[in-house]
Amino acid sequence: MGEEINATVYVVDDDEAILDSLQLLLKTAGFQACTYDGPEKFLSDYEPTRPGCLILDIQMPGMTGLELQEILADVGSILPIIFITGHADIPIAVQAMKDGAFEFLQKPFNDTVLLDYVTKALSLNERQQKEITATQAVIARIEKLSPREKQVFERVAQGKSGKVIASELNLSPRTIEIYRSHVMLKMQANSAVELANLMNLTR
Amino acid sequence: MNASKKNLAEVEALKRKVKREKSARHQAEQILELKSTELYHTNQKLKHALAELDERAIAKEKQLVGELRANQDTTRTLLDSAQEGIFGANSNGRLFSFNRAAEEMFGYDGSDVIGADVSILLASPYKEQSDESLRSFLQSGDGSFLQESRELIAQRADGSHFPIELWVVNTVSVDGTIFFILIRDLSSQKAAEKAIFEKEVEVQQARDHLAHIARVATLGEIAAGIAHEVNQPLAAITTYAQSGHRLLDANVREKDDIAYVLQQIERQASRASEVISRLRSSIKYGEATRERTSINTIIVDTLNLIGVEADRKKVEIDYRPGDDIAAIDVDSVQIQQVLINLIVNAMQALEAANVPHPHVILITEPRAHQQIYVCVRDNGPPIRKETMDQLFTPFFSTKEHGLGIGLSLCRTLIAAHGGNLNINRNRHEGNEFFFTLPTINAAIKTPTKTESSNG
């Protein structure tokens, strides 16, 4: 699993001591860590495709953690975010969780809890990354279908019979049967149920 | 027969001798009688002459004594009518006069102290000092004793003490130099002074107390920021310590890693304790104590304390220190309190009004007449003119939970330092509060200038 080795724990905090101690902890626990003393620096380094998770401070001069979360959401990032904050500001925590934060931790934190969150966040990211990859593959396959094949694919996935599709498209059931086998081949599916699953992935 | 003849002759001779001697004595007696009569007459004459002389002398003396008595009575009346205690002393320091006021003050009867030494009227250590300085005056004829009035402590007949003001007047009489000592009882004046002083102390204590309460209240408003500032190093320490445990569990051979962890823990611990001590010194309770410092030091300390809260509120603080700012003798905690108050007020107003790009500018400038000028400017919504009039009124507040003592107390604290705090009424954008403080006098200015150029 080459991807998992490359997974990086990104840490963004304006406090140098927090960054340094977290880097040491993560390194000691066997994670690959990368630290940034501000959201701006992280953004200039950020590549959406790189797997990992983000440990993010909320209170920082300049851009706050919540603002960075918003920017990442806007660009479609799936990086799970573990927020860390100096004091339990409940409205902020609620907001962060509503906006899709993975976890919320108060400083000083328990290392076991933090590392547990990190492990879970990384596996979530990996899973999501795989789903995205799979979806992208399905989309690529769908794009290779001819317009007619696409019409047949959608209807088969919806669970319609060959006769119904033939009457809807004004074609003979025999022709529909030919298109259906082309679709199965191009979509790498063996049954109507599998086709339905592939279609759901793209939704 | 011969023998009887011879005896007869001798008797005759003896008879003749006796007769001769008798007549000589008689003669002498007559002379003596004459002389003594002469002497008697002379004596009588002399006696008359003397008697005549005596009579005249007595008359003269009587007249003199009468005049003297009249004179003494006038003096006595005069002395007794005086409000001041007055007593006379001769050049040996012996009392010869003691007026009624003095009797009342000291509780002595005049006759008790006449002839006694002046020093019985004074309490130690003045008793001894006055002895010396009076004596030295008596011997040399000058000294500080006569120059001006002095305040000292007197002792009554019953041994109790009381404060007095004393003058000495000297005059020359037939008996040599004599002194009149005038005394005013300062008991009631001193009691009044003491009462005033005690009241002042009381007022000062009340002001210190109020200042402390306000200081704690103000710091409460930036407490979240300060808590965060302490929590950061604590969080780092926790994480370092946990990493240390993991390193030990993993049986690392590298001692360097553990040493690094320990060193970092130490560093972060002292960072936390610095924040605490900074906070402690800012809320310390006590009498105002003046020390020589610079406004720059106070502002930098204040910004350290307030910085995190400013970050939290997203307020940019811009400090523009002036050149050549002289040193000041102030209570740093109180000046810091004023600064925190002004800055926190500005930050709260900026936050409440949701001003875009909120900022606070701090400016220091030297001013004429050995003053420094400090101003706190913000870009918040301008305070209304009607509100401005009430800003410094105690218990006036525009904040929902405001105590309304902040600004009025700030003004009092600055005034207690000889300065002036006010709002600039002529600004069209934002608000500007300013205060002045007297610098230390020009004579000591030079060394502090070099000091500030070093720093």
Side-chain angles (χ1 to χ4, degrees):
Chain A
M1 298 286 244
E3 284 167 354
E4 209 175 336
I5 294 164
N6 285 334
T8 309
V9 183
Y10 302 98
V11 188
V12 180
D13 193 309
D14 62 315
D15 196 295
E16 210 179 296
I18 299 282
L19 285 183
D20 186 63
S21 61
L22 274 176
Q23 183 161 40
L24 183 68
L25 179 69
L26 292 165
K27 207 178 80 184
T28 312
F31 292 99
Q32 183 181 316
C34 204
T35 61
Y36 303 91
D37 64 6
E40 294 83 355
K41 286 192 185 156
F42 169 76
L43 280 176
S44 70
D45 214 24
Y46 174 65
E47 279 174 35
T49 52
R50 278 216 308 248
C53 72
L54 174 59
I55 298 178
L56 180 57
D57 185 26
I58 288 187
Q59 255 178 53
M60 283 176 286
M63 195 189 292
T64 66
L66 294 179
E67 286 164 338
L68 177 60
Q69 180 187 28
E70 210 181 312
I71 291 174
L72 289 176
D74 285 350
V75 299
S77 163
I78 54 153
L79 215 52
I81 298 176
I82 301 166
F83 275 110
I84 51 173
T85 180
H87 52 102
D89 194 335
I90 291 166
I92 289 179
V94 169
Q95 189 57 48
M97 295 309 284
K98 267 189 187 168
D99 290 347
F102 182 73
E103 273 301 344
F104 195 93
L105 268 178
Q106 200 182 328
K107 294 177 195 172
F109 25 69
N110 182 298
D111 57 340
T112 315
V113 174
L114 177 76
L115 294 173
D116 182 45
Y117 287 166
V118 167
T119 309
K120 284 178 178 161
L122 288 179
S123 67
L124 171 72
N125 182 246
E126 192 192 347
R127 208 162 59 234
Q128 287 187 336
Q129 197 60 58
K130 276 180 184 163
E131 278 172 16
I132 287 173
T133 314
T135 309
Q136 281 168 346
V138 171
I139 291 169
R141 281 179 232 155
I142 292 172
E143 275 167 6
K144 279 183 185 154
L145 299 177
S146 70
R148 261 300 181 229
E149 285 168 350
K150 214 177 260 180
Q151 285 174 327
V152 172
F153 164 62
E154 282 164 5
R155 284 166 176 80
V156 172
Q158 282 164 3
K160 288 175 181 168
S161 70
K163 278 184 185 172
V164 173
I165 301 170
S167 77
E168 275 183 15
L169 297 179
N170 267 332
L171 292 167
S172 73
R174 171 82 186 128
T175 313
I176 295 299
E177 209 44 54
I178 293 166
Y179 278 129
R180 191 176 179 272
S181 66
H182 284 173
V183 168
M184 289 291 187
L185 201 67
K186 283 186 175 174
M187 293 305 292
Q188 299 168 17
N190 296 316
S191 67
V193 177
E194 275 185 37
L195 275 186
N197 284 341
L198 290 176
M199 189 146 94
N200 281 339
L201 267 180
T202 65
R203 295 243 162 98
Chain B
M1 224 14 223
N2 275 345
S4 63
K5 263 193 186 170
K6 195 182 167 187
N7 283 346
L8 210 62
E10 275 177 18
V11 169
E12 280 306 318
L14 271 172
K15 275 184 182 170
R16 278 194 306 272
K17 194 182 171 185
V18 168
K19 201 178 177 180
R20 219 169 38 238
E21 276 178 9
K22 248 186 190 170
S23 94
R25 198 171 68 196
H26 182 71
Q27 233 176 334
E29 270 174 5
Q30 274 186 328
I31 293 169
L32 193 65
E33 198 171 314
L34 192 74
K35 286 293 171 196
S36 109
T37 309
E38 261 175 43
L39 202 64
Y40 174 77
H41 287 301
T42 315
N43 198 19
Q44 284 300 105
K45 272 188 206 163
L46 215 61
K47 265 187 182 166
H48 281 298
L50 272 174
E52 215 171 297
L53 263 173
D54 261 7
E55 259 168 47
R56 274 156 63 184
I58 285 164
K60 185 72 188 168
E61 196 183 305
K62 269 186 184 165
Q63 187 198 341
L64 280 174
V65 167
E67 279 172 17
L68 196 63
R69 282 230 176 95
N71 209 340
Q72 273 180 345
D73 286 349
T74 315
T75 312
R76 184 82 226 165
T77 313
L78 210 65
L79 288 178
D80 283 346
S81 67
Q83 297 285 312
E84 284 85 8
I86 301 171
F87 45 84
N90 65 18
S91 54
N92 293 321
R94 302 265 157 211
L95 292 164
F96 65 80
S97 154
F98 206 69
N99 79 342
R100 191 165 297 151
E103 286 179 335
E104 279 166 17
M105 271 180 208
F106 287 90
Y108 282 115
D109 199 79
S111 56
D112 296 343
V113 286
I114 298 297
D117 196 277
V118 167
S119 60
I120 65 155
L121 300 174
L122 297 175
S124 290
Y126 301 103
K127 192 191 280 286
E128 297 79 16
Q129 283 175 5
S130 143
D131 250 15
E132 283 165 27
S133 54
L134 185 61
R135 298 271 177 274
S136 91
F137 169 74
L138 297 177
Q139 277 156 21
S140 63
D142 59 28
S144 64
F145 216 69
L146 291 173
Q147 303 302 315
E148 61 217 28
S149 77
R150 12 162 76 206
E151 287 185 11
L152 30 83
I153 307 292
Q155 182 171 316
R156 294 194 188 90
D158 62 9
S160 59
H161 294 174
F162 65 108
I164 54 164
E165 187 178 9
L166 172 153
W167 303 262
V168 179
V169 177
N170 66 328
T171 177
V172 179
S173 84
V174 275
D175 304 323
T177 308
I178 56 168
F179 303 90
F180 280 100
I181 296 159
L182 286 82
I183 285 189
R184 206 168 64 200
D185 188 342
L186 296 179
S187 302
S188 52
Q189 187 185 327
K190 289 286 173 193
E193 279 172 11
K194 196 178 166 218
I196 290 171
F197 178 74
E198 279 167 1
K199 261 278 159 320
E200 277 171 359
V201 169
E202 219 171 275
V203 168
Q204 182 60 45
Q205 281 171 347
R207 190 194 293 152
D208 286 349
H209 189 61
L210 182 62
H212 180 247
I213 290 171
R215 197 147 63 228
V216 173
T218 311
L219 284 169
E221 311 208 4
I222 58 168
I226 291 165
H228 181 261
E229 220 184 323
V230 181
N231 202 39
Q232 289 290 92
L234 290 182
I237 286 171
T238 309
T239 308
Y240 277 126
Q242 290 161 348
S243 307
H245 276 302
R246 285 172 185 276
L247 286 170
L248 289 176
D249 289 347
N251 263 329
V252 279
R253 296 234 165 71
E254 295 284 324
K255 277 188 176 174
D256 286 359
D257 284 349
I258 300 289
Y260 176 76
V261 164
L262 293 176
Q263 180 203 326
Q264 289 301 311
I265 287 175
E266 208 179 325
R267 189 175 292 170
Q268 294 307 312
S270 64
R271 176 182 158 201
S273 81
E274 264 170 40
V275 178
I276 300 287
S277 71
R278 202 157 65 213
L279 183 66
R280 189 181 290 148
S281 71
S282 294
I283 57 168
K284 75 169 179 193
Y285 183 76
E287 289 172 22
T289 46
R290 301 285 169 94
E291 62 192 349
R292 182 145 309 166
T293 181
S294 72
I295 191 72
N296 184 56
T297 307
I298 297 177
I299 290 179
V300 169
D301 285 350
T302 306
L303 295 182
N304 274 333
L305 210 56
I306 223 165
V308 179
E309 186 62 17
D311 286 346
R312 252 168 56 87
K313 290 193 155 64
K314 298 260 165 203
V315 175
E316 190 188 323
I317 299 186
D318 181 10
Y319 171 35
R320 302 174 186 169
D323 293 330
D324 228 11
I325 305 279
I328 44 177
D329 279 338
V330 295
D331 184 300
S332 300
V333 173
Q334 290 188 348
I335 302 303
Q336 192 179 66
Q337 179 176 0
V338 171
L339 284 164
I340 291 177
N341 223 302
L342 296 179
I343 298 169
V344 167
N345 277 352
M347 292 199 307
Q348 286 175 341
L350 288 167
E351 192 184 34
N354 222 343
V355 176
H357 310 295
H359 67 250
V360 173
I361 302 171
L362 263 108
I363 299 168
T364 58
E365 277 171 18
R367 283 285 157 100
H369 310 298
Q370 285 151 23
Q371 299 268 320
I372 54 167
Y373 168 88
V374 180
C375 111
V376 177
R377 195 182 284 168
D378 65 57
N379 63 339
I383 295 169
R384 286 201 309 256
K385 296 279 178 208
E386 310 90 78
T387 312
M388 278 188 190
D389 296 332
Q390 288 173 282
L391 274 181
F392 300 98
T393 311
F395 307 114
F396 170 81
S397 182
T398 56
K399 296 179 214 163
E400 198 182 337
H401 300 292
L403 290 174
I405 52 174
L407 280 176
S408 77
L409 183 75
C410 285
R411 177 175 268 189
T412 310
L413 293 179
I414 292 297
H417 282 84
N420 173 34
L421 184 147
N422 218 327
I423 183 170
N424 185 343
R425 290 165 174 269
N426 303 318
R427 281 193 72 79
H428 303 296
E429 286 170 26
N431 298 291
E432 183 180 291
F433 285 87
F434 65 89
F435 63 85
T436 58
L437 284 172
T439 64
I440 56 162
N441 58 47
I444 342 173
K445 206 169 174 177
T446 335
T448 50
K449 262 188 185 174
T450 40
E451 202 174 278
S452 66
S453 70
N454 288 341

